[in-house]
Amino acid sequence: MVSRGELYRACQAAMEQADIPDAAFDTMCIFQDCLGDRNPLFSPLEAVPEETEGLIRSMTERRISGEPLQYILGEWEFYGYPFRVGAGVLIPRPDTETLVDAVIRICRSNGITAPRIADLCSGSGCIAVTLKKELPLADVTAVELSEEALPYLRQNIALNGADVHLIEGDVLAEDTAEKLSGLDIVVSNPPYLTAEEMADLQTEVAREPAMALYGGEDGLGFYRELTPLWKRSLKAGGWLCYEFGMGQHEEVGKILAGNGFENISFTRDLGGVIRTVSAVRP
Ligand code: GLN
């Protein structure tokens, strides 16, 4: 039987040979998951049961084939909460925590304790669920169209015990927007990659659903359509909050201003990239 230490070195080396960028980290995550041990290398001489070894080796192979680590593990953390993920749903990104922070800040600094919030293009539900956990009196509705994403969204609502309402529908359709009115906040991390970016995706991102990534030729299609449509669902004085891609802030700001939004303000993510905008419907 192989020891933990030997198997770890073998898996890490195999990943490194395949140019997986964070081989040590990814191997450690797989070991933690398969062995149910936060510190699997504290006992490097311990034998790995055969079945577990098989599982670890197959997860390592999947990683080497370009599958994202998060899909292999089946669960990923966002804002300290667990989210089930897999093929068919966008993996929650740390950048998006900036968007959640922006919404929480708006609520706290304006004394809105029980906001009515809609999260458009909800995907895994990481934004909607986190907002409900952080703002327990909020009334949060998640809107999602994808048949592949919806099962994850439902699971994540249940997993986190978050009482989030769900609308299965197209965020670009009038009849979806008409279902919600008098909202304090509309928040969205819509697809925003350009055609050019879609043609040159990182191996792992290419495994994520194009529907969650592609924002039309210039990446701005959703901002153009969502802004006038969902403006009507906001109450006067309500906020629209978006995440967008690097370098898109000026154009997204123009779209908001062109639709009569005011107090347009941007925030940077932890990497220093201007990543979110919030604006008020007068
Ligand atoms: N942040 C994602 C990426 O860069 C894109 C997510 C999106 O389009 N909303 O891959």
Side-chain angles (χ1 to χ4, degrees), residues 6 8 17 25 43 53 61 66 88-89 115 125 136 144-145 151 153 156 167 181 219 222 234 253 271:
E6 277 173 290
Y8 181 88
Q17 219 161 24
F25 176 79
S43 40
E53 180 191 346
E61 280 311 312
V89 75
E144 178 55 52
L145 177 64
L153 179 51
N156 289 326
I167 293 180
S181 58
F222 278 80
L234 281 172

PDB file of all heavy atoms in Angstrom, residues 6 8 17 25 43 53 61 66 88-89 115 125 136 144-145 151 153 156 167 181 219 222 234 253 271:
ATOM      1  N   GLU A   6       4.047   9.503  -0.150  1.00  0.00           N
ATOM      2  CA  GLU A   6       4.448   9.031  -1.490  1.00  0.00           C
ATOM      3  C   GLU A   6       3.399   9.405  -2.536  1.00  0.00           C
ATOM      4  O   GLU A   6       3.727   9.889  -3.615  1.00  0.00           O
ATOM      5  CB  GLU A   6       4.561   7.495  -1.485  1.00  0.00           C
ATOM      6  CG  GLU A   6       5.849   6.922  -0.979  1.00  0.00           C
ATOM      7  CD  GLU A   6       5.700   5.397  -0.879  1.00  0.00           C
ATOM      8  OE1 GLU A   6       4.945   4.913   0.002  1.00  0.00           O
ATOM      9  OE2 GLU A   6       6.314   4.709  -1.707  1.00  0.00           O
ATOM     10  N   TYR A   8       1.147  11.695  -2.379  1.00  0.00           N
ATOM     11  CA  TYR A   8       1.087  13.146  -2.559  1.00  0.00           C
ATOM     12  C   TYR A   8       2.161  13.604  -3.547  1.00  0.00           C
ATOM     13  O   TYR A   8       1.890  14.350  -4.490  1.00  0.00           O
ATOM     14  CB  TYR A   8       1.254  13.863  -1.208  1.00  0.00           C
ATOM     15  CG  TYR A   8       1.170  15.363  -1.328  1.00  0.00           C
ATOM     16  CD1 TYR A   8      -0.058  16.014  -1.249  1.00  0.00           C
ATOM     17  CD2 TYR A   8       2.315  16.130  -1.567  1.00  0.00           C
ATOM     18  CE1 TYR A   8      -0.147  17.394  -1.385  1.00  0.00           C
ATOM     19  CE2 TYR A   8       2.228  17.506  -1.705  1.00  0.00           C
ATOM     20  CZ  TYR A   8       1.005  18.133  -1.609  1.00  0.00           C
ATOM     21  OH  TYR A   8       0.918  19.487  -1.755  1.00  0.00           O
ATOM     22  N   GLN A  17       4.111  18.114 -14.151  1.00  0.00           N
ATOM     23  CA  GLN A  17       4.562  17.707 -15.474  1.00  0.00           C
ATOM     24  C   GLN A  17       3.553  18.137 -16.547  1.00  0.00           C
ATOM     25  O   GLN A  17       3.929  18.402 -17.682  1.00  0.00           O
ATOM     26  CB  GLN A  17       4.727  16.202 -15.508  1.00  0.00           C
ATOM     27  CG  GLN A  17       5.938  15.810 -16.304  1.00  0.00           C
ATOM     28  CD  GLN A  17       6.376  14.390 -15.976  1.00  0.00           C
ATOM     29  OE1 GLN A  17       5.582  13.562 -15.523  1.00  0.00           O
ATOM     30  NE2 GLN A  17       7.644  14.116 -16.218  1.00  0.00           N
ATOM     31  N   PHE A  25      -1.162  23.103  -4.372  1.00  0.00           N
ATOM     32  CA  PHE A  25      -2.446  23.500  -3.777  1.00  0.00           C
ATOM     33  C   PHE A  25      -3.561  22.545  -4.200  1.00  0.00           C
ATOM     34  O   PHE A  25      -4.336  22.050  -3.377  1.00  0.00           O
ATOM     35  CB  PHE A  25      -2.793  24.930  -4.209  1.00  0.00           C
ATOM     36  CG  PHE A  25      -4.141  25.399  -3.738  1.00  0.00           C
ATOM     37  CD1 PHE A  25      -4.328  25.842  -2.434  1.00  0.00           C
ATOM     38  CD2 PHE A  25      -5.235  25.379  -4.596  1.00  0.00           C
ATOM     39  CE1 PHE A  25      -5.580  26.264  -2.000  1.00  0.00           C
ATOM     40  CE2 PHE A  25      -6.489  25.804  -4.168  1.00  0.00           C
ATOM     41  CZ  PHE A  25      -6.658  26.246  -2.864  1.00  0.00           C
ATOM     42  N   SER A  43       0.599  13.141   8.946  1.00  0.00           N
ATOM     43  CA  SER A  43       0.994  11.732   9.121  1.00  0.00           C
ATOM     44  C   SER A  43       1.345  11.147   7.753  1.00  0.00           C
ATOM     45  O   SER A  43       0.595  10.364   7.188  1.00  0.00           O
ATOM     46  CB  SER A  43      -0.119  10.931   9.783  1.00  0.00           C
ATOM     47  OG  SER A  43      -1.383  11.341   9.264  1.00  0.00           O
ATOM     48  N   GLU A  53      -7.040   5.641  -2.650  1.00  0.00           N
ATOM     49  CA  GLU A  53      -5.943   5.891  -3.590  1.00  0.00           C
ATOM     50  C   GLU A  53      -6.508   5.986  -5.020  1.00  0.00           C
ATOM     51  O   GLU A  53      -6.155   6.899  -5.771  1.00  0.00           O
ATOM     52  CB  GLU A  53      -4.908   4.765  -3.518  1.00  0.00           C
ATOM     53  CG  GLU A  53      -3.756   5.004  -4.498  1.00  0.00           C
ATOM     54  CD  GLU A  53      -2.836   3.801  -4.657  1.00  0.00           C
ATOM     55  OE1 GLU A  53      -2.911   2.860  -3.836  1.00  0.00           O
ATOM     56  OE2 GLU A  53      -2.049   3.811  -5.626  1.00  0.00           O
ATOM     57  N   GLU A  61      -6.119  12.804 -12.323  1.00  0.00           N
ATOM     58  CA  GLU A  61      -6.208  12.677 -13.788  1.00  0.00           C
ATOM     59  C   GLU A  61      -7.194  13.688 -14.370  1.00  0.00           C
ATOM     60  O   GLU A  61      -6.945  14.305 -15.406  1.00  0.00           O
ATOM     61  CB  GLU A  61      -6.637  11.251 -14.194  1.00  0.00           C
ATOM     62  CG  GLU A  61      -5.503  10.239 -14.158  1.00  0.00           C
ATOM     63  CD  GLU A  61      -4.257  10.729 -14.893  1.00  0.00           C
ATOM     64  OE1 GLU A  61      -4.388  11.217 -16.040  1.00  0.00           O
ATOM     65  OE2 GLU A  61      -3.152  10.643 -14.315  1.00  0.00           O
ATOM     66  N   GLY A  66      -7.621  19.099 -17.465  1.00  0.00           N
ATOM     67  CA  GLY A  66      -8.065  20.489 -17.626  1.00  0.00           C
ATOM     68  C   GLY A  66      -9.373  20.808 -16.921  1.00  0.00           C
ATOM     69  O   GLY A  66      -9.861  21.936 -16.992  1.00  0.00           O
ATOM     70  N   GLY A  88     -21.872  23.088 -15.838  1.00  0.00           N
ATOM     71  CA  GLY A  88     -23.192  23.690 -16.039  1.00  0.00           C
ATOM     72  C   GLY A  88     -23.422  24.915 -15.192  1.00  0.00           C
ATOM     73  O   GLY A  88     -24.423  25.600 -15.358  1.00  0.00           O
ATOM     74  N   VAL A  89     -22.500  25.188 -14.285  1.00  0.00           N
ATOM     75  CA  VAL A  89     -22.676  26.386 -13.458  1.00  0.00           C
ATOM     76  C   VAL A  89     -21.329  27.115 -13.327  1.00  0.00           C
ATOM     77  O   VAL A  89     -20.276  26.476 -13.236  1.00  0.00           O
ATOM     78  CB  VAL A  89     -23.295  26.028 -12.075  1.00  0.00           C
ATOM     79  CG1 VAL A  89     -22.285  25.372 -11.153  1.00  0.00           C
ATOM     80  CG2 VAL A  89     -23.912  27.248 -11.405  1.00  0.00           C
ATOM     81  N   PRO A 115     -34.140  45.033   2.944  1.00  0.00           N
ATOM     82  CA  PRO A 115     -34.222  45.391   1.523  1.00  0.00           C
ATOM     83  C   PRO A 115     -34.909  44.313   0.691  1.00  0.00           C
ATOM     84  O   PRO A 115     -34.808  43.119   0.997  1.00  0.00           O
ATOM     85  CB  PRO A 115     -32.750  45.505   1.110  1.00  0.00           C
ATOM     86  CG  PRO A 115     -32.028  44.601   2.048  1.00  0.00           C
ATOM     87  CD  PRO A 115     -32.772  44.671   3.352  1.00  0.00           C
ATOM     88  N   GLY A 125     -26.033  30.756  -7.313  1.00  0.00           N
ATOM     89  CA  GLY A 125     -26.753  31.426  -6.235  1.00  0.00           C
ATOM     90  C   GLY A 125     -25.829  32.059  -5.209  1.00  0.00           C
ATOM     91  O   GLY A 125     -26.286  32.514  -4.153  1.00  0.00           O
ATOM     92  N   PRO A 136     -30.232  39.080   7.076  1.00  0.00           N
ATOM     93  CA  PRO A 136     -31.283  38.074   7.319  1.00  0.00           C
ATOM     94  C   PRO A 136     -32.709  38.583   7.116  1.00  0.00           C
ATOM     95  O   PRO A 136     -33.595  37.782   6.829  1.00  0.00           O
ATOM     96  CB  PRO A 136     -31.057  37.681   8.785  1.00  0.00           C
ATOM     97  CG  PRO A 136     -29.687  38.154   9.124  1.00  0.00           C
ATOM     98  CD  PRO A 136     -29.361  39.303   8.234  1.00  0.00           C
ATOM     99  N   GLU A 144     -32.930  32.879 -12.630  1.00  0.00           N
ATOM    100  CA  GLU A 144     -32.002  32.072 -13.432  1.00  0.00           C
ATOM    101  C   GLU A 144     -32.766  31.315 -14.503  1.00  0.00           C
ATOM    102  O   GLU A 144     -33.879  30.850 -14.257  1.00  0.00           O
ATOM    103  CB  GLU A 144     -31.234  31.104 -12.519  1.00  0.00           C
ATOM    104  CG  GLU A 144     -30.269  30.167 -13.226  1.00  0.00           C
ATOM    105  CD  GLU A 144     -29.239  30.878 -14.103  1.00  0.00           C
ATOM    106  OE1 GLU A 144     -28.559  31.803 -13.628  1.00  0.00           O
ATOM    107  OE2 GLU A 144     -29.135  30.520 -15.299  1.00  0.00           O
ATOM    108  N   LEU A 145     -32.145  31.198 -15.670  1.00  0.00           N
ATOM    109  CA  LEU A 145     -32.787  30.560 -16.811  1.00  0.00           C
ATOM    110  C   LEU A 145     -32.261  29.151 -17.071  1.00  0.00           C
ATOM    111  O   LEU A 145     -33.009  28.259 -17.466  1.00  0.00           O
ATOM    112  CB  LEU A 145     -32.537  31.434 -18.061  1.00  0.00           C
ATOM    113  CG  LEU A 145     -33.064  30.934 -19.402  1.00  0.00           C
ATOM    114  CD1 LEU A 145     -34.579  30.866 -19.399  1.00  0.00           C
ATOM    115  CD2 LEU A 145     -32.589  31.863 -20.526  1.00  0.00           C
ATOM    116  N   PRO A 151     -30.538  23.285 -10.768  1.00  0.00           N
ATOM    117  CA  PRO A 151     -30.402  22.305  -9.680  1.00  0.00           C
ATOM    118  C   PRO A 151     -29.344  22.724  -8.645  1.00  0.00           C
ATOM    119  O   PRO A 151     -29.530  22.503  -7.444  1.00  0.00           O
ATOM    120  CB  PRO A 151     -29.977  21.019 -10.392  1.00  0.00           C
ATOM    121  CG  PRO A 151     -30.396  21.203 -11.818  1.00  0.00           C
ATOM    122  CD  PRO A 151     -30.343  22.677 -12.097  1.00  0.00           C
ATOM    123  N   LEU A 153     -28.490  25.854  -7.980  1.00  0.00           N
ATOM    124  CA  LEU A 153     -29.061  26.996  -7.255  1.00  0.00           C
ATOM    125  C   LEU A 153     -29.991  26.501  -6.143  1.00  0.00           C
ATOM    126  O   LEU A 153     -29.891  26.936  -4.992  1.00  0.00           O
ATOM    127  CB  LEU A 153     -29.798  27.886  -8.271  1.00  0.00           C
ATOM    128  CG  LEU A 153     -30.501  29.137  -7.777  1.00  0.00           C
ATOM    129  CD1 LEU A 153     -29.597  29.995  -6.917  1.00  0.00           C
ATOM    130  CD2 LEU A 153     -30.988  29.957  -8.976  1.00  0.00           C
ATOM    131  N   ASN A 156     -27.994  24.936  -3.332  1.00  0.00           N
ATOM    132  CA  ASN A 156     -27.228  25.893  -2.526  1.00  0.00           C
ATOM    133  C   ASN A 156     -28.120  26.714  -1.605  1.00  0.00           C
ATOM    134  O   ASN A 156     -27.701  27.097  -0.510  1.00  0.00           O
ATOM    135  CB  ASN A 156     -26.382  26.790  -3.439  1.00  0.00           C
ATOM    136  CG  ASN A 156     -25.240  26.006  -4.044  1.00  0.00           C
ATOM    137  OD1 ASN A 156     -24.694  25.105  -3.396  1.00  0.00           O
ATOM    138  ND2 ASN A 156     -24.877  26.311  -5.282  1.00  0.00           N
ATOM    139  N   ILE A 167     -37.014  32.553  -9.226  1.00  0.00           N
ATOM    140  CA  ILE A 167     -37.799  32.699 -10.450  1.00  0.00           C
ATOM    141  C   ILE A 167     -37.009  32.045 -11.570  1.00  0.00           C
ATOM    142  O   ILE A 167     -35.851  32.401 -11.813  1.00  0.00           O
ATOM    143  CB  ILE A 167     -38.073  34.192 -10.794  1.00  0.00           C
ATOM    144  CG1 ILE A 167     -38.996  34.814  -9.741  1.00  0.00           C
ATOM    145  CG2 ILE A 167     -38.686  34.306 -12.186  1.00  0.00           C
ATOM    146  CD1 ILE A 167     -39.322  36.283  -9.985  1.00  0.00           C
ATOM    147  N   SER A 181     -41.433  44.173  -8.530  1.00  0.00           N
ATOM    148  CA  SER A 181     -41.517  45.637  -8.541  1.00  0.00           C
ATOM    149  C   SER A 181     -41.212  46.160  -7.139  1.00  0.00           C
ATOM    150  O   SER A 181     -41.183  45.397  -6.172  1.00  0.00           O
ATOM    151  CB  SER A 181     -42.915  46.080  -8.984  1.00  0.00           C
ATOM    152  OG  SER A 181     -43.873  45.522  -8.115  1.00  0.00           O
ATOM    153  N   GLY A 219     -19.171  42.336 -25.198  1.00  0.00           N
ATOM    154  CA  GLY A 219     -19.306  41.941 -23.796  1.00  0.00           C
ATOM    155  C   GLY A 219     -20.322  42.749 -22.997  1.00  0.00           C
ATOM    156  O   GLY A 219     -20.569  42.466 -21.827  1.00  0.00           O
ATOM    157  N   PHE A 222     -25.604  42.528 -22.018  1.00  0.00           N
ATOM    158  CA  PHE A 222     -26.532  42.414 -20.881  1.00  0.00           C
ATOM    159  C   PHE A 222     -26.748  43.759 -20.184  1.00  0.00           C
ATOM    160  O   PHE A 222     -27.856  44.063 -19.763  1.00  0.00           O
ATOM    161  CB  PHE A 222     -26.041  41.358 -19.888  1.00  0.00           C
ATOM    162  CG  PHE A 222     -26.407  39.960 -20.314  1.00  0.00           C
ATOM    163  CD1 PHE A 222     -25.670  39.288 -21.279  1.00  0.00           C
ATOM    164  CD2 PHE A 222     -27.518  39.330 -19.770  1.00  0.00           C
ATOM    165  CE1 PHE A 222     -26.023  38.006 -21.691  1.00  0.00           C
ATOM    166  CE2 PHE A 222     -27.885  38.047 -20.166  1.00  0.00           C
ATOM    167  CZ  PHE A 222     -27.126  37.388 -21.133  1.00  0.00           C
ATOM    168  N   LEU A 234     -37.253  48.766 -10.074  1.00  0.00           N
ATOM    169  CA  LEU A 234     -36.668  49.430  -8.901  1.00  0.00           C
ATOM    170  C   LEU A 234     -37.613  50.513  -8.394  1.00  0.00           C
ATOM    171  O   LEU A 234     -38.256  51.199  -9.181  1.00  0.00           O
ATOM    172  CB  LEU A 234     -35.345  50.102  -9.278  1.00  0.00           C
ATOM    173  CG  LEU A 234     -34.093  49.251  -9.390  1.00  0.00           C
ATOM    174  CD1 LEU A 234     -32.961  50.099  -9.966  1.00  0.00           C
ATOM    175  CD2 LEU A 234     -33.686  48.673  -8.038  1.00  0.00           C
ATOM    176  N   GLY A 253     -20.661  52.571 -17.079  1.00  0.00           N
ATOM    177  CA  GLY A 253     -21.067  53.842 -16.470  1.00  0.00           C
ATOM    178  C   GLY A 253     -21.901  54.676 -17.439  1.00  0.00           C
ATOM    179  O   GLY A 253     -22.918  55.264 -17.065  1.00  0.00           O
ATOM    180  N   GLY A 271      -7.821  42.561  -6.343  1.00  0.00           N
ATOM    181  CA  GLY A 271      -6.688  42.648  -7.261  1.00  0.00           C
ATOM    182  C   GLY A 271      -6.473  44.058  -7.783  1.00  0.00           C
ATOM    183  O   GLY A 271      -5.602  44.288  -8.599  1.00  0.00           O
TER     184      GLY A 271
END
